[in-house]
């Protein structure tokens, strides 16, 4: 089977990627709405991380192949324009909420959110109390990890792209190093509440999922004859990846969950995502992921990620902590959805047009999927 190299490294819009993102945000949101014991919300974040690495590497390769350089200034301006407008909106609402609830203006919470060190501030800044209304800011912990990645990865890419074997080796070393670091933390500190919290939220313990996505994107581009796709699309390999993924959901050993789980989930995604996107045997899955309703959710995912948590925080503080109850849901769900739609239509779409001035190929997309669109749509989780 020949690889479709026009899709492996380019800026053409692939609706199924938004479909994957739609699945990820649904897993996260449903988990936060009270089904966390049966829906693996943490996997939704891992999926976001993987797709972020996959897509950003794909875009960097496309730019380098066309221009023979990476315009770092434009890259970072596009990231700011992509992420900050909706984030400013969310922070403004969060500030108003915390002041209304009597927490006052929390400068540490605001600064750690706006400057993307929220994940470390949550651990070391004393905001772990479940009753603290400043938890409304905590959803940005995963955005912090992605921003840390955006800061250094383009530099690594520029330095070694002409030597792809070295670049792939460095990616592999980073993946193994993060796993080794998690194993070391558990071995030396045990499965304490603080250690578990640290491993789940910090960049140095979660970066490997993003790097898995980067590595897969690089391999696909370098593999012009489609050998990698033939391997991952083989029914036995694909079934094995699905089985491995479900194993990570079902095996509840604490040490495994805080160490190998994240690595094995990303490894499974390294098979599943390229097989579905590029393997001829899985076109039905590709078409399902490209269905308008799922792509629509994917397009909304950034705003949904931010503002569903605003709804959760408001309900938790005003109604109580019993999720899945009617009063709680009737507060959290409509509020989160309303704010998400406002953010997407009146903040994200206008700034998408502005990003085009700095080299973005993004179109101002309607919420209904359109397979003819060309977009840059970075994944954030």
């Amino acid at each position: 089977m020949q690889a479709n190299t026009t899709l492996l490294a380019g800026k053409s819009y692939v609706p199924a990627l938004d479909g994957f993102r739609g699945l990820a945000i649904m897993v996260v949101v449903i988990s936060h709405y009270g089904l966390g014991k049966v829906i693996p919300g943490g996997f939704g974040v891992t999926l976001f991380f993987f797709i972020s690495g996959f897509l950003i590497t794909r875009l960097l390769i496309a730019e380098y192949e066309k221009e023979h350089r990476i315009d770092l200034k434009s890259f970072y301006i596009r990231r700011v324009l992509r992420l900050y407008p909706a984030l400013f909106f969310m922070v403004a609402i969060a500030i108003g909420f915390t002041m209304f609830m009597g927490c006052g203006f929390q400068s540490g919470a605001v600064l750690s959110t706006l400057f993307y060190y929220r994940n470390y501030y949550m651990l070391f800044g004393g905001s772990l109390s479940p009753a603290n209304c400043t938890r409304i800011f905590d959803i940005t912990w995963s955005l912090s990890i992605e921003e840390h990645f955006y800061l250094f990865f383009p530099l690594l890419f520029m330095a070694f792209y002409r030597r792809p074997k070295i670049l792939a080796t460095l990616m592999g070393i980073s993946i193994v190093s993060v796993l080794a670091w998690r194993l070391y933390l558990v071995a030396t500190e045990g499965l304490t509440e603080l250690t578990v919290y640290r491993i789940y939220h910090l960049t140095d313990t979660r970066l490997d999922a993003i790097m898995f996505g980067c590595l897969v994107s690089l391999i696909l581009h370098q593999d012009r004859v489609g050998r990698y796709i033939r391997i991952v699309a083989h029914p036995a390999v694909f079934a094995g990846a699905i089985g491995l993924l479900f194993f990570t959901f079902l095996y509840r050993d604490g040490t495994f969950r805080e160490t190998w789980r994240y690595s094995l989930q990303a490894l499974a995604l390294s098979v599943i995502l390229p097989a579905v996107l590029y393997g001829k045997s899985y076109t039905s899955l590709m078409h399902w992921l490209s269905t308008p309703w799922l792509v629509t959710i994917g397009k909304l995912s950034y705003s949904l990620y931010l503002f569903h948590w605003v709804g959760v925080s408001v309900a938790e503080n005003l109604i109580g902590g019993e999720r899945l109850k009617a009063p709680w849901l009737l507060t959290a769900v409509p509020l989160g959805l309303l704010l998400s739609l406002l953010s997407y239509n009146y903040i994200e779409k206008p700034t998408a047009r502005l990003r085009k001035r700095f080299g973005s190929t993004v179109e101002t997309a309607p919420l209904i999927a359109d397979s003819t669109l060309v977009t840059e749509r970075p994944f954030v989780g």
Side-chain angles (χ1 to χ4, degrees), residues 43-158:
F43 171 69
V45 176
T46 299
L47 178 55
F48 271 126
F49 286 161
F50 182 91
I51 300 174
S52 292
F54 179 84
L55 183 56
I56 287 298
T57 305
R58 182 173 178 261
L59 294 172
L60 288 172
I61 290 172
E63 181 177 347
Y64 197 95
E65 293 287 322
K66 181 180 179 180
E67 306 292 341
H68 306 291
R69 61 187 290 269
I70 299 296
D71 186 344
L72 277 180
K73 178 181 177 182
S74 294
F75 175 87
Y76 290 125
I77 290 175
R78 290 196 302 269
R79 298 283 71 74
V80 168
L81 291 175
R82 173 66 179 101
L83 299 175
Y84 264 113
L87 183 65
F88 281 136
F89 181 38
M90 179 265 184
V91 167
I93 292 172
I95 290 173
F97 173 71
T98 55
M99 296 183 73
F100 173 78
M101 291 299 298
C103 291
F105 180 78
Q106 300 289 318
S107 59
V110 173
L111 291 174
S112 63
T113 298
L114 292 177
F115 291 98
Y116 292 109
Y117 60 93
R118 183 64 190 170
N119 55 340
Y120 286 91
Y121 187 82
M122 286 161 61
L123 187 67
F124 302 113
S127 63
L128 294 183
S129 171
N132 192 335
C133 62
T134 61
R135 287 191 66 217
I136 193 171
F137 295 96
D138 287 357
I139 196 64
T140 60
W141 71 270
S142 63
L143 301 183
S144 299
I145 293 176
E146 297 220 14
E147 279 304 290
H148 301 159
F149 161 74
Y150 290 144
L151 284 175
F152 83 86
F153 183 73
L155 303 175
L156 179 69
F157 180 91
M158 290 170 60

Side-chain angles (χ1 to χ4, degrees), residues 23-35 39 41 301 304-305 308-309 312 323 333:
L23 288 178
I25 191 61
M26 284 194 298
V27 168
V28 171
V29 170
I30 293 171
S31 172
H32 286 165
Y33 282 164
L35 292 175
I39 301 295
S301 60
L304 280 172
Y305 185 76
H308 90 278
W309 187 252
V312 167
R323 305 182 186 186
V333 177

Side-chain angles (χ1 to χ4, degrees), residues 349-369:
K349 286 173 68 175
T351 53
R353 291 191 290 268
L354 181 60
R355 291 206 310 277
K356 293 176 68 175
R357 299 182 183 179
F358 299 95
S360 172
T361 56
V362 69
E363 299 289 344
T364 306
L367 281 181
I368 299 301

Side-chain angles (χ1 to χ4, degrees), residues 37 86-87 241 244 267 335 368:
K37 292 184 178 180
L87 183 65
L244 178 62
L267 180 63
L335 179 60
I368 299 301

Side-chain angles (χ1 to χ4, degrees), residues 127-301:
S127 63
L128 294 183
S129 171
N132 192 335
C133 62
T134 61
R135 287 191 66 217
I136 193 171
F137 295 96
D138 287 357
I139 196 64
T140 60
W141 71 270
S142 63
L143 301 183
S144 299
I145 293 176
E146 297 220 14
E147 279 304 290
H148 301 159
F149 161 74
Y150 290 144
L151 284 175
F152 83 86
F153 183 73
L155 303 175
L156 179 69
F157 180 91
M158 290 170 60
F160 294 103
Y161 180 64
R162 289 182 176 273
R163 292 173 285 180
K165 290 184 178 179
I166 295 178
L167 181 57
T169 299
L170 292 173
M171 291 177 181
I173 290 173
S174 69
I175 288 168
V176 173
S177 297
V178 172
L179 171 60
W181 178 232
R182 289 197 298 260
L183 288 166
Y184 173 80
L185 288 174
V186 171
T188 56
E189 300 178 7
L191 293 173
T192 66
E193 182 179 358
L194 194 62
T195 301
V196 170
Y197 193 90
R198 173 197 173 97
I199 288 174
Y200 185 77
H201 290 94
L202 299 193
T203 305
D204 53 282
T205 51
R206 294 299 302 274
L207 191 64
D208 54 336
I210 303 179
M211 293 306 294
F212 261 109
C214 297
L215 182 59
V216 169
S217 190
L218 180 65
I219 290 172
L220 288 173
H221 183 69
Q222 294 296 322
D223 182 20
R224 299 290 180 171
V225 298
R227 185 180 297 108
Y228 184 79
I229 295 175
R230 285 197 298 272
I231 292 172
V232 299
H234 190 282
V237 176
F238 189 79
I242 296 292
L244 178 62
L245 192 58
F246 276 96
F247 172 76
T248 67
F249 299 153
L250 298 175
Y251 188 49
R252 309 303 294 180
D253 176 75
T255 298
F256 169 82
R257 289 180 59 77
E258 304 309 324
T259 54
W260 288 96
R261 173 177 51 144
Y262 303 117
S263 298
L264 294 181
Q265 286 180 350
L267 180 63
L269 291 173
S270 301
V271 173
I272 295 168
L273 190 139
V276 171
L277 292 181
Y278 309 120
K280 293 181 179 179
S281 302
Y282 305 100
T283 53
S284 59
L285 280 173
M286 175 84 159
H287 290 154
W288 181 77
L289 286 163
S290 303
T291 52
W293 70 270
L294 189 54
V295 174
T296 295
I297 295 172
K299 291 180 185 298
L300 276 166
S301 60

